[in-house]
Amino acid sequence: MAFAPYRKAVTRRPAMPPHLRIARPVSDLDRTLCMYLEGLGLRELGGFRDHDGFDGVMLGEPGAGHHFEFTVCRHHPVQPARTP
């Protein structure tokens, strides 16, 4: 098996810093908001309504480098499932 020759890593700053997005479908967006905002103290970073039939909200801490995104489908509800 042939490998590409070793190249010295280029140390350029990325155009955007890395950001982790964790997205999950939910069946009740209001209930989810209550739990994560009031129960865990996260902040609402953004959201959207009726984007191709989906409503969603992004929660986390500003500038943290990660956020949770919860979505619900208006037309074809997706049943949430446990992560294996």
Side-chain angles (χ1 to χ4, degrees):
M1 181 171 185
F3 292 97
Y6 173 79
R7 294 185 209 181
K8 186 175 180 180
V10 178
T11 55
R12 287 183 276 167
R13 279 188 86 183
M16 287 180 53
H19 189 90
L20 174 66
R21 173 182 162 258
I22 300 169
R24 296 290 295 170
V26 296
S27 56
D28 187 335
L29 200 53
D30 291 330
R31 184 174 165 198
T32 302
L33 278 170
C34 182
M35 183 180 86
Y36 281 87
L37 294 175
E38 295 176 21
L40 296 177
L42 297 178
R43 295 183 187 178
E44 187 171 341
L45 302 175
F48 51 91
R49 294 276 178 215
D50 201 17
H51 176 73
D52 289 335
F54 285 86
D55 296 336
V57 64
M58 283 78 76
L59 305 175
E61 290 297 323
H66 62 275
H67 73 269
F68 296 100
E69 180 176 323
F70 298 101
T71 62
V72 64
C73 182
R74 293 175 173 217
H75 308 291
H76 305 285
V78 175
Q79 291 301 317
R82 291 183 179 192
T83 302

